[in-house]
Amino acid sequence: MNVQAIREQFPILHQNVNGHPLVYLDSAASSQKPRSVIDAVSRFYEHDNANVHRGVHTLGSRATDAYEGAREKTAKFLNAASPQEIIFTRGTTTALNLVASSYARAVCGEGDEIVITQMEHHSNLIPWQQAAKATGATLKYIPLQKDGSIRLADVEATVTDRTKLVSVMYVSNVLGVVNPIKEITAIAHKHGAKMVVDGAQSTPHMKVDVRDLDCDFYAFSGHKMCAPTGIGALYGKKALLEAMEPVEFGGEMIDHVDLYDSTWKELPWKFEGGTPIIAGAVGLGAAIDFLNEIGLDEIERHEHKLAAYAYDRLSTIEGISIFGPVENRAGLVTFNLNDVHPHDVATVLDTKGIAIRAGHHCCQPLMRYLNVSSTARASFYLYNTEEDVDRLIDGLHQTKEFFGYGIG
Ligand code: 7TS
């Protein structure tokens, strides 16, 4: 993988921030966009823009082809059985809420269980918490190991025949751990429960095959994988989606409307009421082409190497605590430096042109489990280099010095 050639394709990376060349280490929050994606969105607005599924005119059919073409690319990208299994949403949050509102609230009742973990992002925690409250179901948590990882024995011990749904993140946005989703899915299915996967941090960085995982639902966001903001998708097995009721009603999702009743379009459109994020979907299609061209396996290998290098170099800094397991990590490292507040760490690094994220990362229950209020996080993508890591390490030494800890 030629990282320098890849970097050339990301215009935003070539700028100085606060007088220093930008080092962008916040791709887990949102990735940067390559020229091909930016151009695809501009080209759509310059040549093909119109609403979809409506016009008989030429632009209308071009826009529809572009939008549905992006769905086909997304289906192939995840190895879904059919484009009908891909519902375009605003992102992971909307996709998970759709499952919670339409599926969980319909199937759960008093005495049933929804099983999640304490490492979940709020987007994969609150929808289930609220669905459990609304239906009388019990929300159960698979216990975590000290380092935050999950043991399959604990999954076995938590999931029961009363479990209707299990929902787990594939890759943690804080711990960097890759969870054994295929094995957890098998346990869920053994008990007749459905498996939901939060794929926000896996889809951009590794090959995902929903049929191999055998999960029932899978959610992801485009903006973390080189696509524009405002577009993502929910994958769901066709039979499940077919049985589910829409949660948003309006234009374009209907078959027939009467004064007192209505019927819905077939999949996937019954879940896509209103004018969709057409240019966003076009951008997502271009991002998928871009990632496929480089190869997800190559991207994953590059990020693992970089994260291991970062982990090793960070470990040598006196006073640092690194969170998450040592093994089985994806491309991010979360840490705290002495008792310097993570926001102060991020602020000092920003003066050196280095962008990292600090805060609770939308994982307040996990922060409580780790016994911290917030952490700093450096996350890597295909355009990051070892020099970026070196700049981070230098920046952290300077941060320590700034706060009076000396070089260590
Ligand atoms: N799930 C996980 C695992 C995430 O990391 C995120 C966003 C979401 C869900 C929500 O995605 P959205 O696109 O719907 O907002 N994570 C982060 C993060 O780690 N820093 O900023 C956003």
Side-chain angles (χ1 to χ4, degrees):
M1 201 170 112
N2 183 344
V3 182
Q4 286 311 326
I6 288 170
R7 288 179 66 81
E8 285 308 310
Q9 299 179 55
F10 287 80
I12 203 168
L13 296 177
H14 306 284
Q15 62 175 297
N16 279 2
V17 169
N18 297 321
H20 301 271
L22 169 65
V23 172
Y24 188 74
L25 298 177
D26 197 18
S27 297
S30 200
S31 76
Q32 298 303 348
K33 322 300 172 199
R35 172 64 69 200
S36 62
V37 169
I38 299 167
D39 286 350
V41 174
S42 308
R43 209 167 38 244
F44 174 78
Y45 280 126
E46 286 178 14
H47 295 282
D48 305 323
N49 179 57
N51 213 327
V52 291
H53 305 138
R54 291 163 171 81
V56 287
H57 56 73
T58 302
L59 293 191
S61 55
R62 273 197 226 153
T64 303
D65 288 350
Y67 182 67
E68 294 303 332
R71 196 191 309 276
E72 276 170 38
K73 282 181 189 175
T74 308
K76 277 210 186 93
F77 188 63
L78 298 180
N79 197 30
S82 139
Q84 283 190 301
E85 297 182 320
I86 302 296
I87 316 293
F88 280 133
T89 66
R90 204 150 50 76
T92 308
T93 304
T94 324
L96 293 169
N97 273 281
L98 171 53
V99 183
S101 302
S102 176
Y103 187 78
R105 289 186 189 229
V107 302
C108 288
E110 206 79 44
D112 291 330
E113 300 163 352
I114 299 173
V115 171
I116 62 172
T117 78
Q118 198 170 338
M119 78 172 83
E120 302 309 316
H121 187 281
H122 296 162
S123 296
N124 195 32
L125 191 154
I126 310 170
W128 311 119
Q129 177 191 75
Q130 296 302 310
K133 277 175 73 171
T135 59
T138 306
L139 186 62
K140 288 170 76 177
Y141 287 87
I142 299 164
L144 302 182
Q145 295 297 286
K146 210 161 176 203
D147 64 6
S149 57
I150 297 172
R151 279 190 332 157
L152 289 176
D154 290 323
V155 182
E156 296 268 13
T158 312
V159 179
T160 73
D161 289 347
R162 297 308 306 259
T163 307
K164 286 280 191 273
L165 271 161
V166 178
S167 190
V168 177
M169 63 197 341
Y170 203 161
V171 173
S172 162
N173 61 323
V174 172
L175 304 165
V177 62
V178 183
N179 287 320
I181 290 297
K182 195 171 169 176
E183 291 77 6
I184 299 173
T185 302
I187 295 169
H189 286 170
K190 202 168 68 187
H191 292 278
K194 302 297 179 215
M195 182 73 197
V196 186
V197 181
D198 172 350
Q201 298 294 349
S202 45
T203 323
H205 307 284
M206 58 203 268
K207 215 173 233 162
V208 170
D209 181 333
V210 288
R211 275 190 283 174
D212 180 54
L213 293 173
D214 198 26
C215 58
D216 299 285
F217 298 100
Y218 185 99
F220 75 92
S221 300
H223 70 94
K224 294 186 199 289
M225 49 178 282
C226 298
T229 47
I231 186 76
L234 172 70
Y235 157 81
K237 283 184 181 163
K238 192 173 167 190
L240 289 170
L241 292 173
E242 264 173 350
M244 283 159 57
E245 283 295 309
V247 290
E248 283 188 334
F249 303 95
E252 283 311 300
M253 50 75 69
I254 53 87
D255 175 32
H256 182 84
V257 178
D258 267 329
L259 282 183
Y260 299 103
D261 207 0
S262 303
T263 56
W264 321 131
K265 261 190 185 163
E266 58 181 334
L267 284 177
W269 303 293
K270 75 170 177 181
F271 291 110
E272 293 181 2
T275 299
I277 311 125
I278 308 164
V282 170
L284 177 62
I288 288 172
D289 288 342
F290 173 79
L291 294 173
N292 278 340
E293 206 161 297
I294 296 162
L296 267 295
D297 289 338
E298 287 281 305
I299 294 169
E300 186 182 12
R301 216 172 359 252
H302 170 71
E303 291 175 17
H304 279 208
K305 224 171 81 191
L306 216 49
Y309 178 65
Y311 194 97
D312 286 348
R313 289 220 59 196
L314 285 165
S315 308
T316 64
I317 299 179
E318 212 175 284
I320 203 160
S321 9
I322 303 178
F323 299 95
V326 181
E327 301 295 325
N328 201 21
R329 300 181 59 87
L332 62 89
V333 188
T334 297
F335 58 90
N336 272 340
L337 191 60
N338 295 96
D339 56 0
V340 182
H341 194 285
H343 279 143
D344 293 335
V345 174
T347 304
V348 175
L349 290 178
D350 184 54
T351 65
K352 316 284 178 201
I354 304 161
I356 65 156
R357 168 131 196 235
H360 54 63
H361 312 285
C362 303
C363 292
Q364 287 184 4
L366 177 61
M367 293 294 120
R368 281 195 283 278
Y369 183 79
L370 299 172
N371 207 17
V372 290
S373 59
S374 59
T375 68
R377 180 188 68 193
S379 53
F380 308 104
Y381 208 9
L382 71 171
Y383 37 67
N384 290 118
T385 61
E386 286 196 355
E387 291 80 72
D388 290 344
V389 176
D390 295 340
R391 287 268 310 278
L392 170 70
I393 303 295
D394 290 347
L396 288 173
H397 282 302
Q398 288 161 339
T399 308
K400 282 186 67 173
E401 211 175 347
F402 184 86
F403 285 99
Y405 284 99
I407 303 272

